[in-house]
Amino acid sequence: TAAVCELRSFQTSRLEFLRPDALLWTNFAPDHLDWHADMREYFSAKFNLVKNLKSELLFMGADVFEAAKEYGFKIPDFAHIPPQIDARECPKPFDTSVQSLNYSMAFEFLRELGIGWAAAKAAEGFSLPKYRFGEPCEKFGIKFYNDSKATNVNSCWYALQSMTTPLVLILGGTDKGNDYSEIEELVKKKVVWGMASEDMDSLTFGTPFLLRHLTKSQNSSKKDQSGVLEVDLKILLEDMKLTQDEVVL
C-alpha cells in the first residue's frame, strides 16, 4: 500500500512527524508571498521535506536546484533532475508543454523503481482534475482553456507559452505578492484583445483593454452597481499624458 500526498508550504513549514519514502518536487516559483515573509522562507518551508526524507528517492525540477543555490540550501548528492520528455512523445493528457513536465518526473521516478512502463499504463485511464490546463471546451467556434487551478504567475507563463493562436486572457483571484513582469512579453506577443482581471498591474505590461468587476461576486456591492468596468489603455495614457513606460501602479 502506498499513500501519495500533495503538500502545501504552510503544511510543510510545520513538518514534524511525516517522513516520506520518496519525494518528487516538480518546480519552484514565486507564490504564497501573502503567507511567507519572502521567497527564502517559502523555499525553506518546502525544503523540510528534503530534510525528513527517509531514502535517496529524490527528484527535483531544475529550477528547484537553482533556487537552492540562490538561497544557500545544500541539495543531497543523490538528487535527480529528470530529463524532460518532449510533449509530443507523452501520452494524453500529458501531451502539452505544461503537463509533460509532470509526466517526465513521474516516468523518471518509476523508471528508478524498475517499472518505467507503468507511467504510460497509468496515463491510459487518467484524466486531469477540473480546472487544470488540458483539452479545451469549444463553443461558438471559440476554444476555452480553463486553467483556473493555476494560481501563480509562473503557472500562467507555462500556459501562455504553450498557446499557438492569438487569445483573450482572463485572470482572477487575489494577488499574493507576485511579480507580473514574468508574463509581460508573452502578453504583448499573444494577447490580441485584452485581459479580465481585478489587478490594475495588468496595464503596466501593455494589455490594450482591461475588464474589471466581471464576476457576480465582484459586482454585488451595494456601493457599486456600475457593472463591468472597461479600461482602454490608449485613452488612459492620453488622459494622463503619460507613455507606457511611465506607468507605475
Side-chain angles (χ1 to χ4, degrees):
T1 302
V4 180
C5 303
E6 181 180 1
L7 299 172
R8 304 284 185 175
S9 60
F10 65 84
Q11 296 169 314
T12 58
S13 65
R14 301 183 177 94
L15 198 65
E16 186 174 355
F17 301 109
L18 178 65
R19 293 181 55 79
D21 294 300
L23 175 59
L24 282 67
W25 188 345
T26 52
N27 60 6
F28 184 75
D31 203 356
H32 305 300
L33 295 177
D34 54 339
W35 177 273
H36 300 287
D38 52 35
M39 287 291 290
R40 191 181 191 285
E41 182 187 293
Y42 176 34
F43 188 89
S44 179
K46 292 202 167 194
F47 198 77
N48 284 336
L49 285 166
V50 178
K51 293 178 180 178
N52 280 25
L53 184 64
K54 290 198 299 183
S55 72
E56 294 188 357
L57 291 172
L58 175 58
F59 302 85
M60 295 176 158
D63 50 3
V64 178
F65 274 79
E66 292 303 315
K69 292 178 183 177
E70 181 178 351
Y71 303 124
F73 288 79
K74 176 69 169 68
I75 297 293
D77 293 336
F78 53 77
H80 301 264
I81 301 181
Q84 184 176 352
I85 302 173
D86 190 298
R88 293 168 295 185
E89 299 177 9
C90 294
K92 288 184 176 297
F94 300 100
D95 55 344
T96 67
S97 60
V98 177
Q99 299 300 337
S100 62
L101 295 171
N102 297 324
Y103 183 81
S104 298
M105 184 158 290
F107 174 81
E108 186 69 13
F109 168 62
L110 293 171
R111 189 188 68 80
E112 186 71 16
L113 296 180
I115 53 173
W117 54 266
K121 185 68 175 177
E124 290 177 4
F126 185 85
S127 58
L128 291 173
K130 287 184 178 180
Y131 320 123
R132 293 286 189 184
F133 189 89
E135 289 294 321
C137 169
E138 186 165 345
K139 296 289 185 181
F140 314 114
I142 302 172
K143 291 181 178 180
F144 293 85
Y145 291 84
N146 189 339
D147 193 32
S148 52
K149 191 65 177 175
T151 58
N152 62 50
V153 178
N154 187 253
S155 297
C156 183
W157 184 91
Y158 274 102
L160 284 174
Q161 63 89 28
S162 72
M163 301 300 293
T164 57
T165 58
L167 56 94
V168 174
L169 178 62
I170 300 176
L171 300 177
T174 302
D175 177 66
K176 294 183 286 185
N178 291 329
D179 180 5
Y180 292 89
S181 64
E182 183 177 352
I183 59 173
E184 179 177 353
E185 290 305 314
L186 283 173
V187 168
K188 289 178 179 178
K189 184 184 300 182
K190 300 195 175 189
V191 176
V192 294
W193 186 83
M195 299 171 62
S197 172
E198 288 308 292
D199 199 328
M200 293 292 285
D201 283 356
S202 304
L203 294 170
T204 65
F205 48 78
T207 183
F209 295 93
L210 173 66
L211 295 182
R212 302 188 71 205
H213 314 317
L214 194 62
T215 66
K216 184 177 180 181
S217 62
Q218 293 161 348
N219 228 347
S220 59
S221 170
K222 293 181 180 179
K223 295 181 180 179
D224 182 9
Q225 296 294 330
S226 57
V228 175
L229 172 65
E230 180 180 320
V231 180
D232 184 321
L233 178 60
K234 182 178 179 181
I235 294 176
L236 179 67
L237 293 176
E238 289 175 353
D239 289 347
M240 298 177 67
K241 295 182 173 57
L242 294 173
T243 66
Q244 174 66 53
D245 293 337
E246 292 172 328
V247 176
V248 178
L249 297 174

